[in-house]
Amino acid sequence: QLMESGGGLVQAGGSLRLSCTSSGNIFDFNDVAWYRQAPGREREEVARINVVGVRTFADCVRGRFTFSRTQNTVYLDLRSLQPEDTGVYYCRGRIISRTYWGQGTQVTVSS
């Protein structure tokens, strides 16, 4: 039900826009979150937006990542990217007790 896109290779200081697109209405989800998994590390949540628009960010990305959304897509804008932002970014949606994951999109930041 969820598909990510928008990853790529960017130099340090650059920007990317990630998209998380639902096959239905994105507002059907109680919340949508972005996770990332760096090589050799566990998957960690970096940002979340709930159905009424409350946004939560991990300390490491606050002030650099922002959300926007349409009827079926949540966008995560990544700015001032650093090499430590490198990883596979996953979109996760939750409807009550059910959780849906996308397949992930690779973000690579070169120094």
Side-chain angles (χ1 to χ4, degrees), residues 15-84:
S15 301
L16 285 172
R17 165 171 275 197
L18 304 184
S19 300
C20 173
T21 301
S22 170
S23 57
N25 190 332
I26 204 73
F27 291 91
D28 288 341
F29 292 94
N30 299 111
D31 62 32
V32 174
W34 284 93
Y35 288 70
R36 73 182 176 199
Q37 187 164 20
R41 300 188 65 177
E42 294 187 356
R43 193 175 298 188
E44 61 175 350
E45 181 179 312
V46 296
R48 177 168 13 110
I49 183 169
N50 72 10
V51 65
V52 297
V54 175
R55 295 152 167 82
T56 306
F57 298 95
D59 289 343
C60 57
V61 305
R62 187 175 295 113
R64 300 188 297 121
F65 291 8
T66 56
F67 276 111
S68 60
R69 56 185 175 180
T70 63
Q71 196 71 19
N72 68 339
T73 300
V74 170
Y75 299 99
L76 187 69
D77 288 304
L78 287 57
R79 298 184 177 85
S80 302
L81 285 164
Q82 300 301 317
E84 52 265 35

